[in-house]
Amino acid sequence: MTVWQRLKPLRIRLWTLLVILGPGLITASADNDAPGIATYSMAGSTYGYRFLWVILAITIGEIIFMEMAGRMGAVTGKGAADLIREHFGVRVTVLAMVCLLIANSGTTIGEFAGVAAGTELFGLSRYISVPLAALLVGLLVIQGSYRHVEKVLLALSLAALSYIITAFIEHPNWGEVLRQAMTPTWQGGTDYLLTLLAVVGTTITPWGIVYMQASVADKGVRLDEYQYTRLDVVTGSAWGNVVSAFIVICTAATLFAAGIRVETAEQAAMALEPLAGVWAKGLFAVGLLAASLLAASVLPLSTAYAVSEAFGWERGLDHPVREARLFYSLYIGMIVLSVAVVLIPGAPLFPLMWLSQSVNAILLPVLLILVLKLANNRRLMGRWTNSRLQNGLAWVLTGLIILTTVFLFASPLVS
Amino acid sequence: MPYLSDLLGKPVADMDGERVGHLEDLIASLRGRVPHPEIVALVVKRPGGTLLVPFSDVAALIAPAIPLTRRLQDIVPYKPEEHGLYLAQDVLDKQILDTNGVRVVRVNDLELVRVNGHFYVANVDVGGLGLLRRLGLARIAQWLAARFGRQLRSNIIPWDDVELLPGDQPMRLRVPSDKIAELHPADLAEIISDLSRSESSRLLESLDVKTVADALEEVEPDFQASLVEAMSDEKVADVLEEMAPDEAADLLAELPQDRSQELLKLMEHEEAEDVRRLLAYPEDTAGGIMTTEFIAIPPDLTAEQAIAVLRQQAEVAETIFYVYVTDSEGRLIGVFSVNDLVLAQPQMPVTKFMQRRVISVGLFDSQDKVAQIVAKYNLLAVPVVDNEGRLHGIVTVDDALDKIIPTKWKKRLPRLYH
């Protein structure tokens, strides 16, 4: 059966446009967590439309790697950490897991910084809100009642869609937007390179890849039905980046045009003023808060899971703490560390959010290379190995990320 | 004793000291008389391929460079047998079952032992020390620990307690041994919930119908449903027949409508009928959790005859502790326990010693109410009757209490988006 035939009975049921767009939009807005919103706001307000082409290019990259991860999950039924351990041995696994831990801890710090920034916009001190959020997240997840809250958070994260509306209200020069999205530009300098890496690292995340593979493996997708999963993955990734692009367009049209380079959440919220006026702050804060809490619920847990899986430690919330000490230590440790960093007096929240994403990108190639090697392993994947085009594009992307990192570290030396 | 990780990568030299290559893997045979795998060949990586060297050509395994007893050109390559186990490829870094500790662990290293010139796999290292050894940090870690007055102990499992998971690739590993089948169904269920989906379905696929049915009865219906998703309809139908009708009905209720109908068609008529009847009641009512496999006898029997009936039906009944007495219309008129029966004179009619005031619940009574009644009257099972007092089934204490103390099982991953 082709995808289209399969959709036919569905088509009858799709009686409003909303039903088609609904799930995609939710995924898309939840995709843009606090570090994501911070990164795109910063990029848009500082460089105008100049990062649009990066988003376009990185969308292709994200689709390629997310599809690869999903396919590996479907074919092998195993998580990425599991496969890395079984095929590359202990040393490589330690390297990969250290990278994953650092990257994911960084992002979790970014998420809690998002909580802090979001609540401070409402005038609530981070010293109250962040520990409270950590407690809430930890309890909800361990207790298993997270599912009830999840829907509320997902609905609230729809606030990110206001960027799309605001962008249209602002009447940007769409010709210019399109032109810049199609023309790759490049410049040197530490600031630009860090921003570039952050945009890459918040779009293709190590944890996104690991999570994608784990959830497809967990769902147990049958291979003859894999094409629907592929469709899911591709549209999901694309949608998320549509919202990302609009954050850039919106902040470019408002803040960049006004000469404001975003350095705080308050400034970032100003991008929504054309739509929400005095309510802009509230709208921005709600979106930031919901997206942060969503990601903070899943990120530390999936990381603890992956690392425990790689080293064969007892894992899972159905085990009591005394049986799975290392698993729980990792989980709680990541949350505690994030809270501690965010609560350091005077910790700059906004830079924490987006700089953590630059770190993500710097560590990303380790995982990308391993995933690429696994996805091309014939013994593992059978006839489901990568196509040539996919490999070519994936290697080019990986190479470019490494090159950017090299430039970043070399640029202070040169100048 | 040597560890596999110490040996891998070592250079191999022939009798003239000529370098042959380096050790890539060890092949062990499971066919010897000893239950431990015996090393039968070396896999030597050479430029442009591998050479399988029979273990009989190896002068010494524990040496800085492994010496052979022949010249390179004289070596007759080992022919791999069907059940050969490639230790590095098939076992190292893989997940295995510790059947003694009932858990899934990862192999960090393998300890070999030498007996009469032969090498066997003795133990499996699953601890942190094994990990550190692989990283080359074991010595430093031990020294550090000693400085703090502690000792790092290795966490090893004897090979006897180990069960390999049915592997993804080699057919030769797909021989589930009795070790798994001998586990308590509840333990097997726990292991299954620790495995990834594909591993658990492969494991279930390799087990016989009875073992699968017993294990499935120990887990929550939604998890049961996810486990049988990948199984063939024929096997699932067989498993369902083997399960108690109430458990089978619970499982079917979790599956998509068309698949459960399909499965009911494949099942033996009689079992399918029982299950169909149960499916008609809402899940959380007495009717939904009862089983139809109880023992009922007519009132005109003697104790001796009742015992004969009991012997005959004990096999299929869920519990034989209570025997129910029904009239010709199927109405419940009495009950007695096996105790009463054994103590009664053989010729005594059952109506003489049966309890006439029977505690029972209605078909549509809530599960909560059933649990309360079972707890209040200290019953092992409670009969379920309809408005006319006809006996339809019984709810055993474990099914009644499941509502209050659910078997622990949570989804492995929290879902982010859907």
Side-chain angles (χ1 to χ4, degrees):
Chain A
M1 236 197 289
T2 66
V3 175
W4 186 241
Q5 279 171 321
R6 181 78 173 201
L7 281 174
K8 222 171 174 181
L10 249 172
R11 249 188 322 170
I12 303 158
R13 274 182 283 155
L14 300 179
W15 50 280
T16 64
L17 195 67
L18 201 75
V19 181
I20 317 172
L21 292 181
L25 286 179
I26 290 177
T27 314
S29 8
D31 239 6
N32 285 290
D33 55 355
I37 295 174
T39 305
Y40 300 125
S41 301
M42 199 272 293
S45 68
T46 316
Y47 299 97
Y49 302 129
R50 257 178 287 166
F51 267 100
L52 284 177
W53 76 269
V54 179
I55 293 180
L56 196 67
I58 208 74
T59 302
I60 300 169
E62 187 188 359
I63 289 173
I64 288 173
F65 274 103
M66 286 303 230
E67 191 279 330
M68 224 182 279
R71 179 154 38 90
M72 284 207 292
V75 174
T76 65
K78 291 178 177 176
D82 196 343
L83 290 181
I84 288 173
R85 172 69 193 271
E86 292 192 354
H87 287 85
F88 302 109
V90 173
R91 280 161 202 255
V92 175
T93 307
V94 169
L95 174 74
M97 290 305 122
V98 166
C99 288
L100 190 72
L101 252 174
I102 296 174
N104 292 2
S105 299
T107 306
T108 311
I109 292 172
E111 307 295 353
F112 280 105
V115 171
T119 54
E120 282 188 353
L121 284 178
F122 286 125
L124 184 66
S125 160
R126 64 173 94 164
Y127 291 94
I128 299 170
S129 64
V130 171
L132 214 65
L135 220 63
L136 193 77
V137 162
L139 280 183
L140 287 182
V141 171
I142 288 181
Q143 230 200 0
S145 46
Y146 162 69
R147 302 191 62 81
H148 306 299
V149 189
E150 183 191 57
K151 294 196 180 71
V152 180
L153 293 178
L154 280 174
L156 289 179
S157 71
L158 283 176
L161 297 182
S162 49
Y163 280 104
I164 301 184
I165 305 168
T166 314
F168 281 102
I169 291 177
E170 273 299 284
H171 294 298
N173 182 348
W174 289 108
E176 176 66 11
V177 169
L178 243 121
R179 195 186 61 77
Q180 296 232 23
M182 296 299 173
T183 351
T185 53
W186 170 267
Q187 70 186 71
T190 308
D191 284 348
Y192 179 85
L193 291 173
L194 273 176
T195 311
L196 180 61
L197 283 171
V199 168
V200 172
T202 200
T203 313
I204 308 181
T205 56
W207 83 273
I209 292 174
V210 172
Y211 186 82
M212 169 62 73
Q213 180 166 348
S215 63
V216 172
D218 203 53
K219 250 188 274 174
V221 175
R222 285 201 354 238
L223 281 175
D224 51 344
E225 288 186 346
Y226 172 68
Q227 43 184 326
Y228 312 116
T229 305
R230 180 187 316 222
L231 198 68
D232 235 26
V233 172
V234 170
T235 49
S237 308
W239 260 116
N241 294 342
V242 169
V243 175
S244 314
F246 271 99
I247 298 178
V248 170
I249 295 171
C250 187
T251 46
T254 52
L255 302 176
F256 177 72
I260 301 170
R261 184 189 194 273
V262 169
E263 270 159 4
T264 65
E266 235 151 6
Q267 291 170 324
M270 284 158 60
L272 294 176
E273 268 171 15
L275 171 69
V278 284
W279 301 100
K281 246 199 234 174
L283 189 62
F284 179 80
V286 165
L288 200 65
L289 210 61
S292 311
L293 285 174
L294 262 180
S297 312
V298 183
L299 233 170
L301 191 69
S302 70
T303 312
Y305 211 93
V307 175
S308 304
E309 181 179 68
F311 295 117
W313 301 331
E314 303 249 3
R315 58 198 172 272
L317 294 169
D318 48 345
H319 286 282
V321 175
R322 98 194 108 73
E323 264 179 33
R325 283 215 175 95
L326 292 161
F327 169 77
Y328 283 100
S329 310
L330 276 172
Y331 174 61
I332 295 166
M334 276 179 78
I335 294 180
V336 169
L337 173 84
S338 308
V339 172
V341 170
V342 173
L343 293 188
I344 294 173
L349 298 177
F350 211 72
L352 269 183
M353 284 189 249
W354 71 264
L355 269 173
S356 65
Q357 304 307 293
S358 311
V359 176
N360 251 2
I362 291 168
L363 298 171
L364 189 61
V366 174
L367 186 68
L368 294 189
I369 291 170
L370 294 178
V371 164
L372 261 169
K373 290 188 96 165
L374 286 169
N376 282 306
N377 185 329
R378 203 157 276 284
R379 242 189 70 185
L380 188 69
M381 299 293 287
R383 64 186 189 84
W384 293 91
T385 49
N386 285 351
S387 71
R388 260 208 214 134
L389 177 70
Q390 213 168 11
N391 272 333
L393 288 171
W395 279 114
V396 168
L397 177 71
T398 312
L400 285 176
I401 297 174
I402 296 173
L403 216 64
T404 312
T405 307
V406 171
F407 275 127
L408 174 72
F409 288 110
S411 65
L413 302 178
V414 176
S415 61
Chain B
M1 280 301 124
Y3 283 97
L4 179 64
S5 69
D6 293 336
L7 298 175
L8 295 179
K10 272 197 181 172
V12 178
D14 74 357
M15 72 176 286
D16 294 337
E18 208 66 36
R19 191 186 157 125
V20 180
H22 62 261
L23 188 66
E24 188 178 67
D25 208 338
L26 293 176
I27 305 177
S29 165
L30 286 158
R31 289 217 298 204
R33 270 168 295 136
V34 212
H36 291 246
E38 182 189 346
I39 311 294
V40 289
L42 274 52
V43 180
V44 180
K45 176 108 184 135
R46 291 174 52 72
T50 52
L51 175 69
L52 304 186
V53 180
F55 194 74
S56 50
D57 292 348
V58 177
L61 194 56
I62 306 162
I66 299 169
L68 304 181
T69 56
R70 290 173 192 268
R71 286 196 183 81
L72 177 57
Q73 58 271 28
D74 297 336
I75 292 173
V76 183
Y78 172 81
K79 273 208 199 71
E81 54 168 306
E82 214 188 321
H83 291 283
L85 197 59
Y86 286 64
L87 294 184
Q89 183 192 308
D90 298 335
V91 187
L92 196 65
D93 292 325
K94 299 288 185 288
Q95 298 206 87
I96 52 157
L97 302 184
D98 167 6
T99 55
N100 190 29
V102 193
R103 56 193 181 140
V104 183
V105 287
R106 207 177 270 288
V107 179
N108 289 334
D109 215 339
L110 291 173
E111 192 180 9
L112 308 179
V113 64
R114 184 181 174 167
V115 181
N116 293 334
H118 297 282
F119 279 89
Y120 300 90
V121 178
N123 296 310
V124 177
D125 191 328
V126 297
L129 201 56
L131 271 181
L132 289 169
R133 187 179 321 107
R134 296 279 298 280
L135 293 169
L137 298 173
R139 292 249 167 93
I140 300 170
Q142 265 163 333
W143 177 81
L144 266 175
R147 293 279 307 239
F148 291 102
R150 296 238 190 139
Q151 208 190 343
L152 292 179
R153 249 167 306 176
S154 45
N155 187 355
I156 55 173
I157 308 172
W159 182 268
D160 296 331
D161 290 339
V162 162
E163 188 59 62
L164 299 172
L165 286 168
D168 341 27
Q169 334 90 17
M171 277 300 287
R172 60 203 142 85
L173 290 185
R174 269 186 212 158
V175 266
S177 88
D178 312 334
K179 272 182 247 169
I180 293 179
E182 278 167 12
L183 285 174
H184 188 281
D187 286 341
L188 181 53
E190 197 176 324
I191 281 182
I192 289 169
S193 68
D194 275 349
L195 292 171
S196 75
R197 178 186 288 268
S198 63
E199 283 166 331
S200 54
S201 47
R202 263 197 299 266
L203 181 63
L204 285 176
E205 202 67 51
S206 72
L207 297 169
D208 65 76
V209 171
K210 177 97 179 67
T211 315
V212 175
D214 288 347
L216 282 185
E217 287 188 1
E218 298 291 335
V219 301
E220 294 287 300
D222 53 340
F223 186 35
Q224 289 176 344
S226 77
L227 284 173
V228 301
E229 217 164 67
M231 262 192 240
S232 70
D233 280 355
E234 285 73 23
K235 180 145 187 177
V236 180
D238 289 344
V239 170
L240 285 168
E241 284 167 19
E242 196 68 43
M243 289 167 77
D246 55 327
E247 297 278 354
D250 288 349
L251 170 48
L252 283 171
E254 288 288 330
L255 294 175
Q257 192 80 33
D258 39 347
R259 178 140 200 235
S260 65
Q261 288 306 325
E262 193 58 39
L263 289 169
L264 277 167
K265 267 184 231 152
L266 282 171
M267 285 172 70
E268 295 280 329
H269 184 70
E270 205 173 307
E271 270 95 355
E273 269 318 296
D274 282 347
V275 174
R276 269 211 187 93
R277 220 172 297 139
L278 291 173
L279 275 173
Y281 303 107
E283 248 178 277
D284 50 355
T285 63
I289 57 170
M290 72 182 184
T291 173
T292 50
E293 295 181 331
F294 54 87
I295 296 178
I297 58 166
D300 51 2
L301 297 189
T302 62
E304 198 174 27
Q305 288 166 320
I307 289 179
V309 174
L310 205 61
R311 284 214 178 94
Q312 218 174 27
Q313 298 189 6
E315 187 84 351
V316 289
E318 178 118 347
T319 171
I320 59 158
F321 193 77
Y322 296 121
V323 177
Y324 300 95
V325 184
T326 53
D327 65 12
S328 54
E329 305 283 302
R331 276 189 292 263
L332 180 62
I333 55 172
V335 64
F336 55 84
S337 69
V338 178
N339 277 14
D340 303 332
L341 187 61
V342 171
L343 296 176
Q345 294 297 324
Q347 300 310 323
M348 194 185 274
V350 295
T351 44
K352 274 269 149 57
F353 58 86
M354 74 181 187
Q355 258 313 328
R356 283 174 192 276
R357 291 189 45 179
V358 189
I359 312 285
S360 64
V361 294
L363 276 169
F364 292 98
D365 282 350
S366 73
Q367 196 172 1
D368 277 326
K369 187 177 174 197
V370 179
Q372 276 164 17
I373 285 183
V374 164
K376 182 176 171 192
Y377 296 101
N378 291 321
L379 298 173
L380 292 175
V382 61
V384 184
V385 296
D386 62 17
N387 289 338
E388 270 96 65
R390 278 192 297 261
L391 179 58
H392 284 260
I394 58 167
V395 177
T396 51
V397 58
D398 53 324
D399 291 332
L401 294 186
D402 255 358
K403 169 86 177 182
I404 300 161
I405 316 164
T407 317
K408 258 178 77 190
W409 183 78
K410 289 191 190 119
K411 290 238 160 32
R412 283 176 287 245
L413 263 180
R415 300 236 186 280
L416 182 50
Y417 306 133
H418 22 80

